Amino acid sequence: MNKNCKNVYITTPIYYVNDVAHIGHAYTTIIADMLARYSRLSGSSTYFLTGTDEHGQKIAQSAISRNKSPMEYATEISSKFKTLWDDFDITYDKFIRTTDEEHKIGVQKAFLKMYEKGDIYKGEYEGYYCVSCETFFTQKQLIDEQFCPDCGKTTSIVKEESYFFKLSSYEDKLLKWYEESEDCILPRAKKNEIINFVKRGLRDLSISRTSFDWGIKLPACLNEPKHVMYVWLDALMNYITALGYGNDDKNMNQWPASVHLVGKDILRFHSIYWPAFLMSLGMPLPKHIAAHGWWTRDGEKMSKSKANVIDPKEVANAYGLDAFRYFLLREVPFGQDGDFSQKALIDRINSDLGNDLGNLLNRIIGMSGKYFDFHLSSKDVLKYHTKELEEVNSILKNVEEYIYKMQINKFLEDIWKVLTIANKAIGDYAPWNLIKENKKDEAMALVALITNIMAKVALLLHCVMPEKISKIAQCIGIQINTQAYERILKQNILLADTRITKVEALFPRIEKILLEQAPNMLVKEENKTNEKTIKENSQKTSKNNDEKENDNLISIDKFFETSLKIGTIIEANEVPKSKKLLKLQVDLGEKNTRQILAGIKEFYSAENLIGTQVCIVANLKPAKLMGMLSEGMLLAAKDENGLHLIRPEKNKIIGTNIS
Ligand code: ME8
C-alpha cells in the first residue's frame, strides 16, 4: 500500500473451487482484510476484492470425480468460501466468481484488445502440462523427465492447436519495471528471484486449450468454438473485470491495485504474466505484488493424505477468531514460511493477549473503579508523564510505515513495546502507594496515562482484532473511526474526561494441558469425535481437576513437607534481556542470603522491592533460569487486577516459619 493514497485497492487471489478453504486461504484473506480495515480507518477510499477461480481442467476433473457438473460443483464450493469469509466478518467489497457473466465479457474484451494489438497469434503447442498447477512446462524443466517441478505430480504431454501471447517481447519492459519500481514485488528477496527468472529468458505463453471445454470461449469474432481460454489468463483478469472492465467501468477509478496479496506459489503468474498482459492492454501496473510464505502444520506440509489440513473454522471456534487473526499476523514475518501449532497459538493467547493486553485493560478497570469511581481525567497526564508519552508517541509515529512495507509482524511488535511501557509504568509508579500517600492526582494521572495509551493501541489494533478491540473501545469510551484515529493517533490529543465501563475478561487463559488431551483435535479425520471446541474441553478439564482435588486431599504432614518462611529482600536487580525476571537476594536468617529469580518484573520495579518482607518456599530444589541459580520461590497471587506478592501483615523476625 502507499502512504497518502486516496484510492486503495486490495485483492486476494481468487481461490480454486476444487477444495474447501484451509488455513492458507484464511491467512491471505485475513491479511487483506486487516489492510483494508486499516486503510478505511486511516481515511482512504478502499475497495477490497476476493472471490473464486472456477474454470480449467483441474475443476472439471474434480467435478467429474464427484459426479457433478462443473458449474454445480463450482457453485457449491464457491458458496462455502463466501460463507466462511462472511462468518469471519471479512470486509470484502466484492466477491467475484469467474463464472460471472460480466467477468466472461470483460475477459473476452481484453483478449480481443491484445489480439488486435498484435500480441496474440495462433500456433501449435507441444509440451507438458501439470493439471494440478494449471501450468505449462518444457521437458527440460521437468523432474526425471515427467514430474512437475512445482508440485511433483505427473505431467501430461499436450500437443494441440493454441493461441499464444507474445510474452517474450515483454522481457525488457518487465525488467525495466522491476528496476524502476523499487517495491513492486515484496519482499525484496522474492523480487530478485523473479528478476533472475525473467533474465533467463521468457517463452511465449500458450493461452488457449482445445482438449476440454470448461472455460471462457474466445471472442466470437475469432470463430474458434473449440478453444477455451487458459485458466490463468481468465483468472488474472478478475482484478480488472471486478471493477467493471469491459462492462460499465463503474469502479475503474480504483485501478491500479495498491496491493495484490498472493502466496509465494503464485508470485510468478502475478509478477510476470499479469504485468505483461496489462502492458499489452495499455493499463497502469499494480503498485505492489506482495507474496507471503507457506504455512506448514507441526513442521509438515499440509495434505489431505496426511490428514493434517487445518480447518480455519475449527481453529476460530476453538480459540476465538480474533486470537486466530492475531496469531497468523504476528507469528511469522511476512514472506517467511510459518508453522502452525496449537502450542504456539496458546502461548500467544496467554502471553501477548492475556497478560500484556487483556490484563492491562483489567488493571484500568480495577484501578479506575477502586480509586476513582470509574471516572478518569487526563488533566495531569502531561504534568507527570511527558516522558512516557513521548516514548509511546515516538514508537507509534513509525508503525504505519511497517504496514506500507508489509512488515506486519513489526507493526505488532512495536505496538507490544508500547503495551510494555504501559505495564511497566504501573509497576514503577505503583498507584496503590500513591493513593496511600494521599497523592490522588498523581495516581489519577497514571491511570489516565495508561488509558490514553490503550486508546492509541486500540485504534491501531482494531484492524487485527475487530471484535475484541471494539470491546476495549467500549470500555474506555472511545469510538473507532477516522476522526478518532486523526485526533488520538495523529494529533496526539489526550482523551477528555472518560468514564470506564466494565467488560468481561477478553482473553481468558487457556490451559496447556489441552495439548496433550487433544493433539489431533484440529485434524479433519473420519472420526470427527473432537468436533467440540477446546473451550468446552477446557471447562470439562477444570471440572475434572476440581473433582480430582477433592479426592486428593492431603494430610497436614504432607503440607508441612513444604518449608515456608518469612524473608526480607535486601537486593533486587533486573535480569538483562528478560522481560519477566528480577534477581533478588533474600535474607532468611541463614548464613548466606538466597538468590531467587522471580517472574515479577512486569509488576514490580526492582528498587521498590528492597526492604520488603515476603513469603518464601524455602525447601525447593534449586533451579537454573537464564543460566542463573534460583534457590527458592516467592508466594504471589495473580488475577485480573495483576500480580501481588503475599506478605505478612506486620513485619516478622527473618526466617520465621509460616504455618
Ligand atoms: O492458486 N500457506 O488458487 P488456490 C499459505 N486460483 N498460503 C496458502 C497455503 C499455505 N499452505 N495454501 C494456499 C490459485 N494458500 C489460483 C489463484 S489468482 C488470479 C488465481 C493461499 O486455491 C495462498 O494465497 O490454489 C496461495 O497463493 C493461494 O492460497 C492459492 O490458492
Side-chain angles (χ1 to χ4, degrees):
M1 294 203 321
N2 276 20
K3 217 175 181 166
N4 306 327
C5 199
K6 263 188 79 209
N7 279 346
V8 170
Y9 180 29
I10 297 163
T11 70
T12 72
I14 45 171
Y15 302 112
Y16 283 132
V17 288
N18 65 320
D19 205 357
V20 288
H22 63 67
I23 187 176
H25 304 113
Y27 180 50
T28 324
T29 307
I30 285 170
I31 300 176
D33 184 59
M34 178 239 165
L35 295 178
R37 285 176 184 266
Y38 183 80
S39 163
R40 283 186 207 109
L41 187 64
S42 62
S44 304
S45 136
T46 305
Y47 198 82
F48 169 18
L49 172 73
T50 190
T52 43
D53 186 357
E54 306 186 9
H55 291 123
Q57 211 170 343
K58 175 156 73 173
I59 310 295
Q61 286 179 357
S62 296
I64 290 166
S65 71
R66 286 165 177 87
N67 261 335
K68 296 197 167 145
S69 74
M71 191 60 198
E72 202 184 346
Y73 180 60
T75 303
E76 180 186 319
I77 306 288
S78 176
S79 80
K80 286 196 177 152
F81 271 98
K82 191 162 182 291
T83 306
L84 178 67
W85 303 148
D86 289 341
D87 289 349
F88 273 17
D89 206 10
I90 299 295
T91 57
Y92 59 82
D93 293 286
K94 183 173 171 84
F95 184 99
I96 190 171
R97 298 183 57 185
T98 53
T99 48
D100 289 342
E101 218 37 56
E102 300 80 43
H103 171 75
K104 291 191 212 165
I105 294 169
V107 176
Q108 286 174 332
K109 289 210 175 140
F111 190 102
L112 198 59
K113 188 151 189 202
M114 296 194 290
Y115 180 82
E116 283 166 354
K117 188 171 178 204
D119 277 341
I120 290 177
Y121 63 92
K122 194 170 172 181
E124 184 170 73
Y125 181 79
E126 190 170 358
Y128 295 80
Y129 195 73
C130 172
V131 176
S132 181
C133 298
E134 299 279 18
T135 310
F136 299 98
F137 294 104
T138 60
Q139 191 174 25
K140 261 213 240 138
Q141 289 174 308
L142 300 184
I143 294 169
D144 293 340
E145 299 190 347
Q146 54 173 328
F147 301 112
C148 169
D150 288 347
C151 73
K153 294 198 179 130
T154 313
T155 55
S156 49
I157 299 179
V158 176
K159 185 175 179 188
E160 59 189 46
E161 191 183 80
S162 173
Y163 278 81
F164 285 84
F165 174 75
K166 283 189 188 163
L167 188 62
S168 57
S169 67
Y170 284 93
E171 221 173 277
D172 292 341
K173 289 182 199 117
L174 285 168
L175 288 170
K176 189 160 171 267
W177 179 52
Y178 304 143
E179 198 186 306
E180 284 172 0
S181 174
E182 209 181 338
D183 284 336
C184 58
I185 300 170
L186 292 169
R188 297 268 174 88
K190 294 267 184 267
K191 182 177 172 186
N192 294 336
E193 282 173 27
I194 296 292
I195 293 176
N196 291 335
F197 184 87
V198 174
K199 279 187 175 162
R200 286 200 292 274
L202 295 174
R203 291 179 324 122
D204 288 349
L205 181 67
S206 165
I207 51 164
S208 75
R209 304 289 310 272
T210 54
S211 50
F212 64 93
D213 65 359
W214 180 236
I216 302 179
K217 298 264 179 262
L218 300 201
C221 59
L222 296 179
N223 197 19
E224 291 283 16
K226 281 206 305 220
H227 287 252
V228 291
M229 276 187 224
Y230 172 41
V231 64
W232 270 102
L233 172 75
D234 161 355
L236 287 162
M237 292 292 170
N238 94 89
Y239 299 130
I240 51 174
T241 60
L243 300 178
Y245 177 89
N247 285 286
D248 58 9
D249 283 357
K250 203 168 79 202
N251 290 311
M252 280 307 285
N253 62 332
Q254 293 287 345
W255 188 259
S258 314
V259 57
H260 290 308
L261 269 168
V262 296
K264 63 179 183 179
D265 56 324
I266 56 172
L267 180 61
R268 257 189 232 171
F269 299 92
H270 283 80
S271 53
I272 301 175
Y273 299 175
W274 180 226
F277 294 155
L278 287 166
M279 286 175 188
S280 175
L281 292 171
M283 291 180 64
L285 304 184
K287 296 269 178 262
H288 305 289
I289 299 160
H292 63 69
W294 216 238
W295 279 96
T296 51
R297 165 80 196 272
D298 295 318
E300 288 190 40
K301 192 168 181 221
M302 281 180 274
S303 77
K304 272 198 240 164
S305 55
K306 283 191 201 146
N308 67 350
V309 177
I310 299 167
D311 177 348
K313 193 93 206 244
E314 281 186 21
V315 186
N317 282 346
Y319 294 98
L321 178 58
D322 280 356
F324 180 42
R325 285 171 68 105
Y326 173 76
F327 173 78
L328 291 177
L329 297 171
R330 174 75 192 259
E331 189 65 7
V332 271
F334 185 90
Q336 290 181 22
D337 294 343
D339 189 49
F340 182 90
S341 77
Q342 287 189 85
K343 181 177 175 325
L345 172 59
I346 291 171
D347 282 349
R348 286 276 174 208
I349 295 175
N350 288 345
S351 154
D352 300 8
L353 300 181
N355 282 354
D356 302 339
L357 179 64
N359 231 0
L360 188 65
L361 188 74
N362 289 337
R363 296 172 96 183
I364 293 175
I365 300 172
M367 292 189 293
S368 66
K370 193 161 166 200
Y371 307 135
F372 310 113
D373 194 23
F374 297 107
H375 283 90
L376 296 178
S377 153
S378 300
K379 76 175 168 43
D380 288 333
V381 173
L382 286 173
K383 182 167 162 197
Y384 294 106
H385 297 294
T386 349
K387 185 179 125 261
E388 285 83 6
L389 268 183
E390 273 171 9
E391 234 180 307
V392 165
N393 292 342
S394 86
I395 294 175
L396 296 184
K397 203 169 70 209
N398 299 320
V399 292
E400 205 172 49
E401 202 63 33
Y402 288 131
I403 296 213
Y404 301 128
K405 290 187 185 149
M406 294 300 299
Q407 296 177 329
I408 299 165
N409 65 312
K410 287 204 176 149
F411 167 76
L412 291 171
E413 272 163 28
D414 271 13
I415 295 174
W416 254 256
K417 278 187 201 154
V418 164
L419 288 173
T420 307
I421 293 175
N423 275 309
K424 187 167 175 299
I426 299 179
D428 286 354
Y429 292 92
W432 43 92
N433 289 340
L434 295 174
I435 293 284
K436 266 195 235 148
E437 291 158 18
N438 233 350
K439 296 177 179 160
K440 212 168 170 183
D441 284 357
E442 281 180 51
M444 170 69 92
L446 189 271
V447 183
L449 166 77
I450 308 302
T451 310
N452 275 284
I453 296 179
M454 185 58 98
K456 290 170 188 277
V457 166
L459 283 158
L460 287 168
L461 279 184
H462 186 261
C463 58
V464 177
M465 296 183 283
E467 193 200 325
K468 298 285 184 188
I469 297 297
S470 297
K471 292 206 173 129
I472 293 185
Q474 180 202 336
C475 169
I476 59 174
I478 60 161
Q479 301 284 322
I480 303 287
N481 57 28
T482 309
Q483 291 86 322
Y485 180 89
E486 265 303 310
R487 279 174 63 81
I488 296 173
L489 265 173
K490 296 274 143 179
Q491 299 168 22
N492 292 321
I493 296 175
L494 294 176
L495 301 174
D497 289 354
T498 310
R499 190 178 153 68
I500 302 293
T501 315
K502 276 191 192 178
V503 291
E504 78 228 25
L506 293 182
F507 300 100
R509 203 177 163 74
I510 295 180
E511 294 307 329
K512 298 204 175 186
I513 196 165
L514 296 167
L515 286 174
E516 276 82 62
Q517 285 188 344
N520 281 323
M521 204 201 94
L522 302 167
V523 177
K524 286 201 126 203
E525 285 176 316
E526 320 79 71
N527 66 339
K528 290 186 91 195
T529 45
N530 287 321
E531 280 261 288
K532 288 172 221 98
T533 67
I534 288 230
K535 274 188 202 134
E536 282 167 341
N537 283 344
S538 160
Q539 277 153 11
K540 261 198 222 145
T541 314
S542 54
K543 193 163 162 239
N544 287 346
N545 284 347
D546 290 349
E547 281 161 10
K548 256 192 227 145
E549 268 165 30
N550 286 338
D551 290 339
N552 284 345
L553 296 175
I554 58 162
S555 67
I556 187 91
D557 294 340
K558 185 119 189 174
F559 171 72
F560 281 126
E561 280 174 26
T562 314
S563 164
L564 297 171
K565 286 179 187 284
I566 298 292
T568 297
I569 298 175
I570 56 165
E571 202 182 312
N573 292 298
E574 297 201 351
V575 174
K577 293 200 189 129
S578 169
K579 257 173 55 180
K580 301 218 160 104
L581 291 179
L582 289 182
K583 188 167 82 175
L584 311 171
Q585 298 300 331
V586 184
D587 189 355
L588 287 177
E590 299 164 336
K591 201 164 138 221
N592 295 320
T593 57
R594 295 271 191 121
Q595 173 165 294
I596 295 179
L597 292 157
I600 56 173
K601 189 170 168 181
E602 288 159 280
F603 305 95
Y604 289 92
S605 70
E607 62 270 26
N608 287 348
L609 285 173
I610 297 168
T612 308
Q613 286 215 324
V614 281
C615 301
I616 301 289
V617 182
N619 61 344
L620 209 58
K621 260 195 200 151
K624 272 202 163 171
L625 294 174
M626 295 190 77
M628 285 171 289
L629 198 64
S630 181
E631 307 163 285
M633 192 175 91
L634 265 64
L635 295 190
K638 190 173 172 192
D639 66 5
E640 294 171 2
N641 295 319
L643 176 144
H644 293 101
L645 292 170
I646 310 291
R647 316 185 205 213
E649 199 180 349
K650 292 225 165 97
N651 270 0
K652 294 269 123 199
I653 295 166
I654 289 170
T656 303
N657 282 322
I658 302 171
S659 52

